[in-house]
Amino acid sequence: MSDVPNIAQKAPFPVEVEAGKTYFWCSCGQSKSQPFCDGSHKGSSFAPTKFTAETSKTAYFCGCKNSKNGALCDGSHSAL
């Protein structure tokens, strides 16, 4: 696995999150459980990013793996 993340998709993943629940976002782009980690990063420099929902809502998790906003989409996919 390279040091560059795989682009899972060029759009965010909308997910209904629950207040107080913790989620682990895939940063490598190899997970089969996008946008969440399934351990595919093992043996690489990648690690999942912990996200704890403050409120119950729809969260938009980054699909391109280039967000400067951690696990959440910041629109970086529009420049790819």
Side-chain angles (χ1 to χ4, degrees), residues 15-26 36-37 48-53 55-57 59 61 71:
V15 177
E16 292 298 318
V17 297
E18 296 177 39
K21 186 173 178 183
T22 299
Y23 302 84
F24 290 91
W25 173 74
C26 166
F36 303 115
C37 179
T49 300
K50 182 179 177 180
F51 172 83
T52 302
T55 61
S56 294
K57 64 178 183 177
F61 288 90

Side-chain angles (χ1 to χ4, degrees), residues 3 6 11 15 17 29 36 44 53-56 65-67 75-76:
D3 290 334
N6 183 57
V15 177
V17 297
F36 303 115
S44 75
E54 293 180 13
T55 61
S56 294
K65 311 305 175 183
N66 287 283
S67 176
S76 292

